[in-house]
Structure formats: structure tokens, C-alpha cells
Amino acid sequence: QVHVVESGGGLVQAGDSLRLSCAVSGHTFSEYAIAWFRQGPGKEREFVAGLSASDVTYYSDFAKDRFTISRDGAENTVSLQMDSLKPEDTAVYYCSVRKGVVATRAKEYYDHWGQGTQVTVSS
């Protein structure tokens, strides 16, 4: 059974930074992609950033200049470094995993999700 566990959320002020981590275990995929999504209050879950099986990165427009997704030293751990945070970044951030190479932006293609970690940015 695949387990996806996020950590690193919290309450910060506008302009601060946070680093989220995602640990994936229990899978037998030879290739897999990992992505971060977020869901703000009353909003749809949206794509934030993704990392393909070949370490190609994908970003949404709002994330590309402020967020960085990367694979940590441990093979099954991926981080999301978020800088210059804004109040509109307030959301529950979810890590997700899909079997395959490409980190698609469509949440429907992801089979395994973590419970989410809350990020709150005060103004």
C-alpha cells in the first residue's frame, strides 16, 4: 500500500518562506511522478508544482517564480520550497503520486494522496 505523508506546514507572515516535505513509501512503481496541489477555502484543488520521474519540473504560473520543487537526498522524498509567500497562498497543500513519467497538472491522474498540510499566510 502506498503511503504519502506531508509535513512542514504552518503559520507565517507575508514575505516569509516555508519548506514542505513529502515522503512516499510502499510503492513498487519503476517510474513515478510526484506533484503538489493546494486547496484554498472554497476553492477547487489546483496544481502547484510537479516533478517527473526524470526530474523534469513543472510549475503553475503563480508558483514558477517563488516555489521550487526538488528531490531530497532520500529517493522517495520531495520538497517544495516556498518563498515570498502571500496571503493568497493560504491553503491545504497536498502531495500526490502517480505511476508514470510525467507530472501532469490534472489531479484526476494521481492515484495516491497525502492527508495534506495547512499553510496559512497572514498579511
Side-chain angles (χ1 to χ4, degrees), residues 2-3 26 46 56 58 62 74-75 82 86 95 102 105 114 117:
V2 180
H3 293 278
E46 62 180 349
V56 175
Y58 305 83
F62 64 79
E75 183 177 344
M82 304 187 295
K86 305 175 181 179
C95 182
V102 178
R105 299 167 188 266
T117 184

Side-chain angles (χ1 to χ4, degrees), residues 78-97:
V78 170
S79 294
L80 182 69
Q81 176 68 36
M82 304 187 295
D83 298 320
S84 302
L85 284 163
K86 305 175 181 179
E88 50 263 44
D89 294 319
T90 294
V92 178
Y93 283 71
Y94 296 91
C95 182
S96 56
V97 180

Side-chain angles (χ1 to χ4, degrees), residues 4 22-24 27 32-37 47 49-53 56 58 69-71 75-79 94-104 110:
V4 182
C22 174
V24 181
H27 71 87
Y32 63 96
I34 294 180
W36 286 93
F37 288 78
F47 176 84
L51 186 68
S52 77
V56 175
Y58 305 83
I69 188 170
S70 62
R71 197 176 303 276
E75 183 177 344
N76 292 333
T77 302
V78 170
S79 294
Y94 296 91
C95 182
S96 56
V97 180
R98 68 178 296 265
K99 182 179 179 181
V101 175
V102 178
T104 176
Y110 289 84

Side-chain angles (χ1 to χ4, degrees), residues 10-14 18 38-44 46 62 66-67 82 85-93 117-123:
L11 171 64
V12 297
Q13 293 186 331
L18 269 180
R38 71 183 187 183
Q39 188 165 13
K43 298 182 180 180
E44 294 287 325
E46 62 180 349
F62 64 79
R66 300 183 294 125
F67 296 180
M82 304 187 295
L85 284 163
K86 305 175 181 179
E88 50 263 44
D89 294 319
T90 294
V92 178
Y93 283 71
T117 184
Q118 177 70 46
V119 172
T120 303
V121 185
S122 63
S123 58

